[in-house]
Amino acid sequence: MSQSQRKGAMAALTSSKQHEEEAMELRRGPWTLEEDNLLMNYIACHGEGRWNLLARCSGLKRTGKSCRLRWLNYLKPDIKRGNLTPEEQLLILELHSKWGNRWSRIAQHLPGRTDNEIKNYWRTRVQKQARQLRVDANSAVFRDAVRCYWMPRLLEKMAATSSSAAHHGELLPPPPLHHPSSHIPGMASSPSPIHGSSQPHDASTNAPAGSGGYGHHRNNGYPVDPSPPPSTSTSGSVISTPAALPPVPCFSSELTWADVQYGGPYYADLDGAAGAFDSVLGLDGLDLGPADDCDAVYSDSTLLDYLNSTCAGGGTMMGVVGGAGNPHTTSCGGGGAMVGSEYGYGSPSPSSWRATDELYYQAAARKLGDHHHWGGGI
DNA sequence: AAATCCGACAACCGCATCGGA
DNA sequence: TTCCGATGCGGTTGTCGGATT
């Protein structure tokens, strides 16, 4: 081995040792306030990009990747925090049905939301529904279930939200209890952060208010919307056996409590609701391809066929169930399914919200099971 | 009151793609 | 054309706090 070769070998050894040491020093896990400040200050001075350079020059003992992720998913000023609004949830469902797991692409249509957030939402909430229905989350059957059960409920929520803002009649139920923070001054991120709110920023720390990380990243200090998406798993004490289920409510075509509340026939049928998707979402100008035509999708929905066949009114009705009474007691006689909110004058508690959601999806699961014979338990 | 379970989400990892040398 | 570093993307994991037992 020549001297130069030896030198080279030594250099390589030293270099690898240095790399090892660097690797040893690299921090992982939750970010500290100091790290966040370092990152933000560096980006304020030098701008985004060049993440590896940033990692080397900023004094952060993090990889460039880690810095980028922290910035894009948490520190960037226009990141929107808080729970996804029904509008956003609906949009996610719609876009996912078209694009699949293209999270970044979907995120582009939800300003302020990150792909990571959307992905987590899908995995923790949407996929759970699929599990409860015992179908694959990417299956057509599940998409139908989403369209027939979940989307209309989100639409109803959206309508209820806007309606409660416009109506203050004494017949109206109190605001949904799943938006407790809506009454807290300063909680701009809920219930409708989609309308322009951005990450609140704590000037004293130069860190996002309710800062995530620092050992307490849970919820980032932001208000939690206890409203589960349809059928959040609960203790299981609500639903014991199918035999114990009260009739799953269904609307007739008579005047409903929703009509009284909202001043007219309320989502007369699924086709009507489906037709409203695009305009509600502002998707009129967005090319969603074949899936854009919700009516067409609904028209050949197996689940819809089944629902239509089992509802006494001959159609799958949506709306607010119950009215001034027990929301669970309204039935369509045939035990058919219903899509809509259980909000009524009975002012359901959050637990009843959960219970009713459970009912919807238990019913959906049963129907899917009847039709498709999904085997196996969870 | 303690133990356990579970949902939520930040963060990490591996792979793919892009762009410049 | 090839190589290589930077960046982006999607899947997965780790950890926390709240709920339940």
Side-chain angles (χ1 to χ4, degrees), chain A residues 340-371:
Chain A
S341 163
E342 72 281 20
Y343 289 149
Y345 201 44
S347 303
S349 66
S351 61
S352 72
W353 165 271
R354 285 168 179 249
T356 317
D357 281 327
E358 288 286 356
L359 296 180
Y360 290 138
Y361 281 85
Q362 289 281 336
R366 288 205 307 277
K367 292 179 186 309
L368 286 171
D370 291 346
H371 263 261

Side-chain angles (χ1 to χ4, degrees), chain A residues 44 47 55 73 76 87 194 199 267 309 342 355:
Chain A
N73 286 341
K76 206 174 177 183
E87 290 91 339
I194 197 173
Q199 164 81 6
Y267 299 145
S309 71
E342 72 281 20

